[in-house]
Amino acid sequence: MVRKRLSVFHFLLAGTICGETIPTEYAAARDTTLPAKATKAANSSGVVKKPVVSRPRSVKASGPGEAIHVTGRTASPQGVTGRQPGGGLMRLETRAGTIQSVTRDFIAKQPPSANPVQVLSLTPSAFVTLTEPYGIAGGNLTLRGLPGDHVGWIYNGAPVNDVGDGGFYANQTSDGDNLKSVSLTPGSVDIDTPSISAAAGAAYADLIDPSHKRGGFVDFSYGSYDMHREFVRLETGDIGKTGVRAFASFSNTAADNWRGPGKFTRKHVDFKLIKDFTPESRWTINASYNTNQLQLDMYPTKDQFAQYGKKLDYSSHFNKSNPTDYYKYGLDAFQNLIASAPLSLKLADGLRFDDTPYLWWGSGTIGGVSTIEDGQTFSGNQPVDVNVANGTTVYSPLYFSYHRTGNNAKVTWTKGINTLTFGWWYEWSRTNQATPVSYINQNDGGPANIYGDYGPNIYRLANGKKWYLNNHNTFTQVNMLYLGDKLKLLNDKLELQAGVRLAMVSRKVNSYVPNIVQNRGQNVFEPLPQFSASYTFNSHHQLYLRGSTSFKMPNNNTMFELYNVNGSMSTAPSDNVKPEYSINEEIGYRYHDDIFVGDISFFNYNFTNRQMAVLSYFGSAPMATTMNVGNQTSRGVDVQLATRPIFGHFRPYVSFEYLDATVDSDIHYLNDYLRTKGKRPAQTPHEMGALGVDWDNGHIFLDLNLKYVGSQYATLLNDEKLHPYISDSLTVGYRFSNVWYLHSPQIQLNFQNLAGSLYRNGVYSMTPFAHPTTGVYGTQYTSASAPTYTLAPPLSVSFSMSTGF
C-alpha cells in the first residue's frame, strides 16, 4: 500500500522533469518587483499535556546564496508577488535536507491575525489544530508525530521556546501583517541553531524588512464572534544617506469566545530597524512586545462531546456553592518582550562574522482557584498561619516570570572549495514559577488581580510575607560550541558538509517554600554530530541526503514538586531524567523548472529516552511524574508539488505525508508496565494530505485550502481513536488600483470551516488507556482515564480592509 502511494507521487514529479543549480528564492519585498524568471547571479491522572538581503539564504544567514533578478509588476502592499510557487506554500531550496516553507504570498491571504504555527497547517509534516478561529490563542503543533515542545523555534535569530519545558506560544511573536516567512526543517537543525528543545526539528520565523520608501500600511478587520482588529504600520523609508530604515507597528485584536463566556484580547507591537553598511554587511534590530488575555475552555471526553457538544464549558455565573467552574478563573494572561540584534559583517574576502545577541522577558499567569478549609493552609509541605476564614474561595493561579539573555556568534571562512564555520552560543536564564494566593470578591467571584502576584490584595502570612503554595526559581546556563566544514566539488555540483555541536547545559532549581529538597541541580553534555551531501545535476535536479542528531532537555518541572493549598502533592519530582536524543536520516530529491517545483523526502527517526509524564508511585502515593519511557521509531515520506502561474493565474499546491511510527518499549506505569511496545504513538496521524489552490490576476484573488488528517489514537494502548476529518478555508478578495494617496487598497473575506461542522480536531490530553487493562506482569488496572479533545471552531467569517500609503 505504501509503495502504491509513493509511486503515484513519484510519477507526478518525474513527469515534470526536463533538464540547471536550484536557486534559493524569497518572498519578494514590498518594494521589489515581481520575478518573471530567476537566474543565477552569484554564489533553513494520566499522561499530562502540558537572509542578509545581499546574501539570500534558504532558512537563515549561513553563507552565500542566490540572487534573484526580477522584472514585472511590483508586489502589493501586503507583499503578494503573484509568482511564488503554490501561492506561497513552497519556495526553491538548496539546503541538503527537508525544508517546508511558507512565504508572504500565502501568509497575506490568511486572516490578518494568523500566527506562525497557523500558517504551517498545509505543509506535509505539520499537524496544526486551533481552538479558536483567528489564531489569537496560538495553536497546537505536532511534527511527524512529536509534540510541539520538541520543535526548536527561532524568531529573528533568537530562540523563543519556553526554556523550562520547550513550549512555544505563537501568539506572542509577530503580527501576521509583518510575518515574512516561516520554515520548518523537520527532523534536523542547522549547525548554528540555538535550541535545547529540537529533538523533532526546528522552525524559523522572520519579520519583513522595512521598506526603502516612506509610508505605511493599515488593516482593519471585523468578523464572527464580535472579532475586531486594528493594525497600523509606519515606515521611515531610507533616512537620508545613513543606510538606516525602520518600521514600527501596533495592533489591537479582540474576539468573543465561541464556546462559552469570556473574550480573547491581544495588543502587539513590532519594530525592526536595518542599518546597511555595505551591500554585504548590515545590522538589524528586531523587537516584539505582546500582551494578551485568553479565555481557557474545558475540553470534553469522547462521551462528553457526544452528550454536550460545545456546551461543556466554564459557567458565566458565579455560584458560591460551586465556585471552581467560574469562567473568570480560567484565564491565561501574559505579557512579553522578544528582542534581537543580528549583526552580519564581511571582514575580508571569504571571511564573515555573524553575531546575534538577544533577550526575552515575560510574565503572566494561568488561572486557578481553591477553597480554604480550617487548618488546611500550607506553603509547600508545611502548615502556615494565614488569616482566612473556612470556606473562603481564593485565587491561586500558576505564575510565571522569565528573564533570558544570550548571544550566538560565529565566524565563517571560505577558501576556494572549502568553507569552515566555528561558533559559540551562550545563554543564561531565570524562570520563576510560583502559586501565589490572592483575594476573590466573595459576592461576584472576580479575582482582585488576574496576575495574582502583586498589588495590595494578596494574602500574607503572620510574618507579613506573601503566601505562596509553591515558589521556585530555575536557573539554566547553556554553552554550545559548534564546528562545521563544507566542501564543494565537481564544479560545485557536489556539496559535502559535516560538523558537530557540543551542548553543555547546567541547570539548578532553588525552592523558596518548604520542600522535600530545597535545591536540586543537573548537568548535561551532549555531542551532536551531523552530515549531509547534495548533488545538483543541473538547474532542474538535486539529490540530497542528511544524517543528524538533536536533543531535548528534560522539563524543569522534573526537578521540583508542586503542592495544593491543603499540603497534598499534585506533581512529584523525578530523579535523573535524561535528555531525549534523536537520530534522523533522510534522503530526498528536488525538481524545478519555470512551471513546476517538487520535493520528495524519505525519513527515519530513532528516539531514545523519550520523555513523558505518567503515573508512578512516589513513596506510597500514585503521582504524575515525568520520566524516560524508552524508545520510539518514526519513518515515512513527505511529498510537495507546486506550480508557478498556469492557465493564466492558477498556482496549485499539493502535499502528502505517510508516517509509520511505533513505540519500541513497554512503558512503566505505577508498579507494572503497560503493553505499549509496537503500539502507535498517540496524536500521530498515519497519513495527511493537503490541497491549496490560488488564483490571482492582480486584482481579483481567491485562495482555497483543504487538509485531510488521518485517524490518530488518543491513548498509549491505542484503545480510543480520533477519526479522520477534512478542514477547509477560503479567501476571496479584490485589490483596487492606486487612488489618491492609497496604494492598492484591498478588501478581503476569509472563511473557515465552510460547512460549519462541529467535530473533535485534536487530542488535548492523551491518557494511558481508556478502558480497563492488564499490565505486563498481570496487574489489573480497572480505573481507566478517558482522553480529552480540542474542538474545531465552527464557521467563521472575517472581513478585512487594508491599504498602503
Side-chain angles (χ1 to χ4, degrees), residues 8-48:
V8 173
F9 280 92
H10 187 72
F11 175 77
L12 288 173
L13 289 175
T16 67
I17 295 176
C18 310
E20 264 194 31
T21 306
I22 300 178
T24 301
E25 179 174 284
Y26 283 83
R30 289 156 291 148
D31 49 358
T32 63
T33 51
L34 176 68
K37 183 176 180 180
T39 58
K40 186 175 179 181
N43 225 7
S44 87
S45 7
V47 178
V48 182

Side-chain angles (χ1 to χ4, degrees), residues 103-238:
T103 62
R104 281 303 302 168
D105 272 32
F106 177 76
I107 296 169
K109 293 177 182 177
Q110 306 315 297
S113 56
N115 62 65
V117 164
Q118 187 176 352
V119 301
L120 290 172
S121 60
L122 298 186
T123 58
S125 294
F127 170 39
V128 174
T129 58
L130 298 180
T131 57
E132 47 80 31
Y134 301 111
I136 307 172
N140 301 316
L141 169 69
T142 302
L143 185 63
R144 289 180 176 173
L146 272 293
D149 58 3
H150 288 55
V151 180
W153 277 87
I154 311 301
Y155 179 57
N156 297 315
V160 289
N161 295 81
D162 186 309
V163 70
D165 64 15
F168 172 63
Y169 308 100
N171 58 314
Q172 296 174 5
T173 55
S174 76
D175 268 316
D177 294 286
N178 296 330
L179 187 58
K180 178 181 181 180
S181 64
V182 186
S183 297
L184 277 175
T185 59
S188 65
V189 301
D190 286 346
I191 196 168
D192 55 353
T193 298
S195 178
I196 58 173
S197 304
Y204 306 84
D206 291 285
L207 289 171
I208 59 173
D209 287 347
S211 175
H212 289 281
K213 299 177 182 179
R214 185 174 58 188
F217 179 77
V218 293
D219 192 338
F220 301 99
S221 302
Y222 305 90
S224 305
Y225 308 104
D226 201 24
M227 188 277 289
H228 65 89
R229 180 178 183 269
E230 301 81 39
F231 173 89
V232 59
R233 180 175 66 235
L234 301 177
E235 305 266 9
T236 66
D238 290 327

